[in-house]
Amino acid sequence: GLNFIDLMVRQGNIDNPPKTPLVPGFECSGIVEALGDSVKGFEIGDRVMAFVNYNAWAEVVCTPVEFVYKIPDDMSFSEAAAFPMNFVTAYMMLFEVANLREGMSVLVHSAGGGVGQAVAQLCSTIPNVTVFGTASSFKHEAIKDSVTHLFDRNADYVQEVKRISTDGVDIVLDCLCGENTGKGLSLLKPLGTYILYGSSNMVTGETKSFFSFAKSWWQVEKVNPIKLYEENKVIAGFSLLNLLFKQNRGGLIKGVMDKLLNLYNNKKIKPVVDSLWALEEVKEAMQRIHDRGNIGKLILDVEKAPTPLVS
């Protein structure tokens, strides 16, 4: 699976970027080829999906058994590679951090992306949840049925939301950062939760620009704890990769995956795959994410031949 975090890794816009040479990628699906001596619960030949701490974009991947999950019989390999990061992130934010309940409202940015689509689907499993989404206007026709109210990503969504819901929303899920932090906090109802789970505004041009990076951070609202106390607002952050690989919460994630696979088997959720790409086409695939052209998830398929270039 390709994720926006892979772009940030490539541009060095993360804490402690890894040293080269490096195989990127944090999630994959495939067939078990070999097992460690003490591994139980899996057999050679099992269809599985997994989280990997880098090295996922490869023909052969090795990862600890606690990060591996069996694929349901009617789920394809491409759907399985699109499933773990997006749906676990969306589920954890909505239900573990923000405590989504019936009748609440949610604002999600990049509503056409992998996480955005997962958020919309999970919200639809709870009665009477209103979803406000922002997305590029050319995606609106394709995703309009997945959210309640859809706004252009360049529009003044704060005014649009307040026009529909004068007191704001219960949950803001922000993958943009920069000036959107302050906007998101301003939209929260009392006892509402703002969650930062990405900073895609830090990725601008083809190369890392110190000035665009600094400008984005400069625009981040300075949060005053006293103001949070007075306004009864919650501000939170969520990083699935840190939770898995730095904070050793694999057991917690396994419980979430069990719930998600149950929802999948009951046909309540289904990963949205935008397109499949050969490994040799990773540059073009990343450009599509960079340009925010995708609806759902991009997948690198090791068995796919590159598409011939049209002269």
Side-chain angles (χ1 to χ4, degrees), residues 276-281 299 301-307:
L276 303 181
W277 303 75
L279 282 176
E280 296 89 339
E281 298 171 322
I299 303 295
D301 185 347
V302 297
E303 294 183 343
K304 184 180 182 298
T307 305

Side-chain angles (χ1 to χ4, degrees), residues 107 109 134 153-155 157-158 172-187 194-196 198 200-201 216 219-221 292:
L107 168 67
H109 295 297
T134 71
R153 67 185 294 264
N154 298 312
Y157 61 85
V158 174
V172 173
L173 305 177
D174 181 10
C175 60
L176 304 177
C177 201
E179 62 183 334
N180 294 281
T181 303
K183 291 179 177 179
L185 280 168
S186 74
L187 277 173
Y194 162 95
I195 306 173
L196 181 71
S200 62
N201 278 345
S216 290
Q219 290 173 326
V220 175
E221 185 89 352
R292 294 173 167 83

Side-chain angles (χ1 to χ4, degrees), residues 219-275:
Q219 290 173 326
V220 175
E221 185 89 352
K222 306 301 182 282
V223 177
N224 179 345
I226 301 295
K227 199 173 172 193
L228 290 178
Y229 151 77
E230 289 173 346
E231 296 181 356
N232 278 304
K233 291 181 178 179
V234 179
I235 185 166
F238 182 76
S239 163
L240 177 56
L241 294 176
N242 284 350
L243 204 63
L244 279 168
F245 301 125
K246 291 183 180 174
Q247 295 155 349
N248 302 315
R249 293 297 191 274
L252 171 64
I253 303 303
K254 183 171 188 334
V256 170
M257 277 294 278
D258 289 343
K259 292 173 185 170
L260 286 167
L261 290 172
N262 192 39
L263 286 170
Y264 176 86
N265 288 328
N266 288 321
K267 306 222 170 354
K268 297 282 180 67
I269 59 174
K270 184 178 176 65
V272 178
V273 175
D274 174 81
S275 47

